[in-house]
């Protein structure tokens, strides 16, 4: 008999649903990965304080309310947490069957960005205006649908026992599924999101057991594609300038290199323990642009110092560690691929965000997961945590 929610748990038999799981010996609460949950919550909590520090004096942004971004960040976290719970309740296996619908919706949403509904924010035409001051960045949800879609295709015959590894035709189809939204996002152009999606695709293929020829071919195609994009003038001038400033930080310190230079000054002035919360001269003086979003790590570096910034990196490390453990312990290829895609996403985006504040990576306009201000990005990362928790919940306890 089917369970009341359609949420079946591996190890209890296909007839056991969510309610049966809750009353079983191994309860849902016991199966959840609490270190992952607490680390993600801690990052969001720290982020709310950093966002508050970065925006409390920004009357040009906060409409005169110093708590505006602080409460909005908490609200975004609350909505994201609710989405995580909903994802756990549905289960990654249920979502597997809904992938075609989710994929279609995500493609339509990114296409809407190219219509008059689209809006340009910080140089990137990547948002949809919803009204009432709310915007949506569909590329954040595309990251999830690429992971789920490729995992569904690559794992279908392997989990059914028909194959040991995905064959070449299956891999080609999965790459085709990913290329469509990536090309649309490239047309915006949202280079930062494209970079993350490319890393996600690579992580998915690596975890699927696909032939190494596909991996090397994908890396080669990426290099050729990057050269072609630069040669064909697909990138906007500000994006080209960002790479030029990365290659030569002294090229235009008052212009294209300003953000990175100010970020380094802010982080360097924090020392070991920081200048104190709300006491950072760079943050209070508003010298670092977009400090509540892309450059939120500079607030931690300046006001909380090496120890505070190190705590953020430690918490991100715990999230990745627990995700890696979930990927390793699951008994189905589908769950392994989904977890690996999320790991690739979180790892690269965190490295890129922190790296661009330190000058070791080009500025790409990517938020720091769980920490930076932004509704859509917050919703997406918490949905990803929900997927990880679902994989953890639906595996046998003995695995």
């Amino acid at each position: 008999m089917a369970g009341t929610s359609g949420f079946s748990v591996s190890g209890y038999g296909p007839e056991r649903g969510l309610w049966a799981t809750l009353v079983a010996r191994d309860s849902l609460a016991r199966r959840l990965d609490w270190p992952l949950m607490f680390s993600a919550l801690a990052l969001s909590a720290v982020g709310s304080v950093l966002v508050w520090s970065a925006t409390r004096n920004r009357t040009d942004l906060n409409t005169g309310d110093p708590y505006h971004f602080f409460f909005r960040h908490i609200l975004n976290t609350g909505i994201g947490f609710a989405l995580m719970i909903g994802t756990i309740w549905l289960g990654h296996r249920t979502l597997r069957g809904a992938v075609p619908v989710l994929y279609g919706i995500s493609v339509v949403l990114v296409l809407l960005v190219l219509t008059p509904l689209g809006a340009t924010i910080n140089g990137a035409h990547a948002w949809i205006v919803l009204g009432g001051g709310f915007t949506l960045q569909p590329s954040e949800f595309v990251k999830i649908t690429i992971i789920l879609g490729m995992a569904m295709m690559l794992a279908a015959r392997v989990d059914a026992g028909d194959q040991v590894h995905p064959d070449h035709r299956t891999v080609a189809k999965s790459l085709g599924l990913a290329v469509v939204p990536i090309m649309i996002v490239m047309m915006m152009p949202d280079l930062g999101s494209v970079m993350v999606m490319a890393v996600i695709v690579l992580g998915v293929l690596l975890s699927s057991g696909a032939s190494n020829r596909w991996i090397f071919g994908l890396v080669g195609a990426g290099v050729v594609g990057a050269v072609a994009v630069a040669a064909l003038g697909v990138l906007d001038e500000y994006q080209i300038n960002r790479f030029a400033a990365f290659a030569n930080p002294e090229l235009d310190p008052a212009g294209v290199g300003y953000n990175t230079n100010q970020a380094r000054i802010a982080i360097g002035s924090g020392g070991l323990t920081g200048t104190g919360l709300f006491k950072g001269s760079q943050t209070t003086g508003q010298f670092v642009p977009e400090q509540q979003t892309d450059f939120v790590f500079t607030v931690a570096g300046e006001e909380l110092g090496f120890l505070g910034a190190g705590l953020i990196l430690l918490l991100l490390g715990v999230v990745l560690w627990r995700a890696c453990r979930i990927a390793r312990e699951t008994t189905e290829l589908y769950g392994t691929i989904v977890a690996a895609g999320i790991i690739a996403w979180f790892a690269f985006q965190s490295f890129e965000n922190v790296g661009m504040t330190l000058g070791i990576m080009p500025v790409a306009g990517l938020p720091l997961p769980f920490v930076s201000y932004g509704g859509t990005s917050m919703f997406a990362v918490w949905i990803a945590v929900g997927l990880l928790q679902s994989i953890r919940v639906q595996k046998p306890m003995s695995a």
Side-chain angles (χ1 to χ4, degrees):
M1 182 175 65
T4 57
S5 70
F7 184 124
S8 63
V9 179
S10 176
Y12 287 101
E15 77 285 355
R16 306 296 292 270
L18 175 61
W19 179 250
T21 304
L22 291 172
V23 298
R25 176 177 59 84
D26 297 318
S27 67
L28 177 63
R30 181 182 174 186
R31 286 173 167 262
L32 289 175
D33 193 310
W34 290 105
L36 170 63
M37 185 89 74
F38 287 136
S39 296
L41 282 171
L43 284 167
S44 292
V46 171
S48 65
V49 176
L50 299 180
V51 167
W52 182 20
S53 178
T55 59
R56 64 192 184 91
N57 292 324
R58 293 294 303 272
T59 55
D60 57 321
L61 298 176
N62 61 27
T63 64
D65 179 6
Y67 297 98
H68 174 78
F69 285 91
F70 175 72
F71 288 127
R72 288 285 290 268
H73 189 84
I74 293 177
L75 175 62
N76 290 337
T77 301
I79 295 173
F81 193 84
L83 290 171
M84 178 203 67
I85 293 175
T87 303
I88 298 172
W89 183 78
L90 286 172
H92 67 291
R93 293 173 184 162
T94 300
L95 291 173
R96 183 178 190 168
V99 163
V101 175
L102 297 175
Y103 178 80
I105 292 173
S106 67
V107 170
V108 169
L109 287 175
V110 291
L111 281 173
L112 287 177
V113 175
L114 303 177
T115 71
L117 292 175
T120 301
I121 300 177
N122 299 329
H125 192 78
W127 280 262
I128 297 174
V129 178
L130 301 178
F134 293 95
T135 57
L136 182 73
Q137 189 177 6
S139 58
E140 292 293 332
F141 296 131
V142 169
K143 297 170 186 176
I144 297 173
T145 54
I146 286 177
I147 292 171
L148 292 176
M150 292 188 70
M152 178 194 70
M153 298 183 72
L154 292 167
R157 297 183 65 182
V158 176
D159 283 338
D162 298 332
Q163 294 178 343
V164 177
H165 303 294
D167 58 27
H168 293 304
R169 184 177 181 181
T170 301
V171 174
K173 287 182 178 180
S174 71
L175 287 176
L177 177 144
V179 164
V180 173
I182 290 176
M183 292 302 294
I184 298 172
V185 174
M186 190 71 221
M187 291 169 61
M188 296 178 183
D190 183 358
L191 184 60
S193 293
V194 170
M195 292 167 60
V196 176
M197 292 174 194
V199 172
I200 286 174
V201 170
L202 185 62
V204 164
L205 288 184
L206 284 169
S207 64
S208 70
S211 170
N212 288 334
R213 284 180 289 178
W214 283 104
I215 308 300
F216 293 130
L218 185 63
V219 173
V223 173
V224 173
V227 174
V229 164
L232 296 174
V234 176
L235 299 181
D236 286 339
E237 183 178 358
Y238 81 93
Q239 293 173 318
I240 298 174
N241 289 338
R242 284 177 174 178
F243 282 97
F246 168 68
N248 182 8
E250 304 302 323
L251 179 65
D252 186 9
V256 295
Y258 178 81
N259 290 15
T260 302
N261 288 330
Q262 293 300 320
R264 286 187 195 173
I265 293 172
I267 294 175
S269 65
L272 180 63
T273 58
T275 59
L277 195 61
F278 308 132
K279 296 179 181 179
S281 58
Q282 289 291 110
T283 300
T284 304
Q286 304 172 20
F287 290 104
V288 184
E290 306 305 327
Q291 209 168 9
Q292 77 277 13
T293 54
D294 300 345
F295 287 90
V296 70
F297 190 74
T298 63
V299 185
E302 180 180 27
E303 299 188 347
L304 304 180
F306 177 80
L307 295 179
L311 174 62
I312 292 176
L313 297 180
L314 176 62
L315 290 171
L316 286 169
V318 172
V319 170
L320 293 173
W321 163 50
R322 301 308 297 183
C324 287
R325 182 169 180 175
I326 290 170
R328 186 180 68 250
E329 292 183 349
T330 185
T331 57
E332 58 179 6
L333 181 61
Y334 174 70
T336 298
I337 294 175
V338 171
I342 294 171
I343 293 166
W345 166 14
F346 284 5
F348 177 78
Q349 191 160 313
S350 298
F351 179 76
E352 164 61 30
N353 179 277
V354 174
M356 72 183 187
T357 65
L358 299 175
I360 62 174
M361 291 293 286
V363 176
L366 292 172
L368 186 60
F370 303 102
V371 181
S372 292
Y373 176 80
T376 314
S377 60
M378 185 67 78
F379 304 158
V381 295
W382 276 106
I383 290 173
V385 171
L387 288 170
L388 291 171
Q389 294 285 13
S390 172
I391 296 167
R392 164 75 178 173
V393 165
Q394 295 191 29
K395 76 175 183 67
M397 289 298 288
S398 59

